[in-house]
Amino acid sequence: MAVILRFPSESFTPATGLTHPEQATVHNLVRDLTRCGLATGVTCHNDGQFMRVFDKRGHAYFIGREDRMCLLYDPDENLLSESRCFPTVLDALDQRLSGFLRRQAK
């Protein structure tokens, strides 16, 4: 008797790296931040292993996954957010980059 294996889908959370939908979500967020003048670009490395998001000063933030944990590091390699929930890390990135605008308004 054969064992039927299900084909992996995008809902599968990899141990390392970002899924294609997660990469698209980061690109969309950066597009919105760029329109507001809060980001200058995004790069994807090693076929989605990690991404770098550049703030308006050109400093790079690292976003990726290691051991099934989503991670966000600032340009000085300080851990800003760690969660199994990818949207939590995206919210932290959005808040960090949007915070530049709030600080300048003061």
Side-chain angles (χ1 to χ4, degrees), residues 75-87:
D76 296 324
E77 299 181 8
N78 297 311
L79 181 64
L80 298 178
S81 179
E82 178 179 21
S83 175
R84 290 197 185 276
C85 182
F86 185 73

Side-chain angles (χ1 to χ4, degrees), residues 25-94:
T25 303
V26 172
H27 280 286
N28 290 335
L29 174 64
V30 172
R31 186 178 309 120
D32 292 342
L33 292 169
T34 301
R35 287 183 189 138
C36 297
L38 301 173
T40 58
V42 61
T43 58
C44 188
H45 300 273
N46 297 340
D47 196 30
Q49 196 68 21
F50 67 95
M51 298 178 81
R52 293 188 331 172
V53 175
F54 297 90
D55 66 14
K56 65 182 182 179
R57 293 186 243 162
H59 299 137
Y61 289 79
F62 166 93
I63 188 167
R65 179 182 284 112
E66 293 178 8
D67 296 325
R68 292 191 168 78
M69 294 297 289
C70 299
L71 306 168
L72 173 65
Y73 288 93
D74 71 3
D76 296 324
E77 299 181 8
N78 297 311
L79 181 64
L80 298 178
S81 179
E82 178 179 21
S83 175
R84 290 197 185 276
C85 182
F86 185 73
T88 301
V89 175
L90 275 186
D91 287 342
L93 176 65
D94 185 26

Side-chain angles (χ1 to χ4, degrees), residues 3-15:
V3 175
I4 299 173
L5 300 175
R6 298 181 84 185
F7 188 77
S9 68
E10 287 296 334
S11 63
F12 171 74
T13 302

